[in-house]
Amino acid sequence: RKEVEQDPGPFNVPEGATVAFNCTYSNSASQSFFWYRQDCRKEPKLLMSVYSSGNEDGRFTAQLNRASQYISLLIRDSKLSDSATYLCAVNDMRFGAGTRLTVKP
Amino acid sequence: GAGVSQTPSNKVTEKGKYVELRCDPISGHTALYWYRQSLGQGPEFLIYFQGTGAADDSGLPNDRFFAVRPEGSVSTLKIQRTERGDSAVYLCASSASPAGEDTQYFGPGTRLTVL
């Protein structure tokens, strides 16, 4: 089993839709969790850290479920500019394969 | 300020050759990470430096791969006897604090092609 797993998608959604991604991790001792965004042929950039109590940044909400060992990312009112690959990372250095999102007009 | 830089941006080499990839982290960042990323995959961890020492090299795939950071700033990833399967984008990242405590900033990567 991979250390960090994500649904690869692709997710194709219309503008304004709400979309959610999950990411599962195998190491129950994991302490830190992150969501990154990666545009085509670019480097990953941190989108947000994921805190135990859940956290929100504008249209983006991240949650952690330690019991089931997964983190989630919710994007509300999606924009065309949200089209990218979303990577989850655990303990800073272990990344999932990424979920591709395409937002269409 | 300047971000993480990597050179070269592209490297084409022949199977069996030796290559060196360079990473200049953000000034003052003590932590430095190397990853490689293949098409359709996430970054695969290779090695993590805290200062001059390799704090975690568990991701290096075999003994053909080696990395150094002699003065705690610039790092070089060295690949001996390159194989076609080594072709990937090699990403470097740095952070101001040890792993898990601070944001990682990635460089643009070096695209390595082994013919």
Side-chain angles (χ1 to χ4, degrees):
Chain A
R1 181 185 172 188
K2 288 185 179 177
E3 204 164 341
V4 182
E5 295 202 62
Q6 292 184 250
D7 180 345
F11 284 62
N12 297 310
V13 302
E15 251 184 310
T18 295
V19 61
F21 311 131
N22 281 342
C23 169
T24 59
Y25 59 95
S26 60
N27 183 355
S28 59
S30 299
Q31 292 297 317
S32 54
F33 308 90
F34 308 88
W35 283 103
Y36 283 78
R37 172 195 170 122
Q38 186 171 29
D39 293 293
C40 190
R41 300 181 79 86
K42 297 286 189 181
E43 70 272 23
K45 292 186 178 177
L46 182 68
L47 180 65
M48 57 198 305
S49 302
V50 186
Y51 303 122
S52 297
S53 54
N55 47 299
E56 190 174 307
D57 182 2
R59 298 181 293 109
F60 300 83
T61 300
Q63 293 198 312
L64 167 64
N65 185 318
R66 284 194 184 275
S68 300
Q69 293 182 211
Y70 74 85
I71 62 172
S72 64
L73 177 68
L74 181 79
I75 305 175
R76 289 183 300 278
D77 187 25
S78 52
K79 312 290 185 192
L80 298 177
S81 57
D82 293 334
S83 297
T85 295
Y86 291 84
L87 299 158
C88 65
V90 174
N91 287 341
D92 252 2
M93 299 180 286
R94 268 64 184 179
F95 283 79
T99 298
R100 180 180 290 185
L101 170 67
T102 301
V103 180
K104 300 187 173 181
Chain B
V4 178
S5 62
Q6 292 186 247
T7 54
S9 55
N10 281 283
K11 176 71 177 178
V12 180
T13 191
E14 293 180 342
K15 181 174 178 294
K17 299 289 188 183
Y18 168 82
V19 296
E20 289 190 353
L21 312 179
R22 177 187 167 110
C23 172
D24 279 87
I26 292 172
S27 178
H29 278 195
T30 59
L32 185 146
Y33 315 77
W34 282 101
Y35 300 86
R36 69 178 175 182
Q37 187 173 26
S38 301
L39 194 63
Q41 300 297 314
E44 175 193 0
F45 169 73
L46 296 177
I47 187 170
Y48 156 56
F49 286 91
Q50 182 56 40
T52 60
D56 184 348
D57 64 356
S58 62
L60 294 177
N62 51 59
D63 61 6
R64 296 187 298 106
F65 288 75
F66 190 70
V68 295
R69 194 186 185 199
E71 297 178 359
S73 54
V74 170
S75 177
T76 305
L77 178 66
K78 309 181 181 193
I79 311 174
Q80 297 178 319
R81 305 183 304 280
T82 51
E83 299 177 357
R84 291 195 180 88
D86 298 335
S87 296
V89 175
Y90 287 79
L91 294 165
C92 175
S94 70
S95 63
S97 300
E101 297 180 18
D102 206 349
T103 301
Q104 285 187 60
Y105 297 89
F106 282 83
T110 293
R111 184 174 298 275
L112 175 66
T113 303
V114 182
L115 300 176

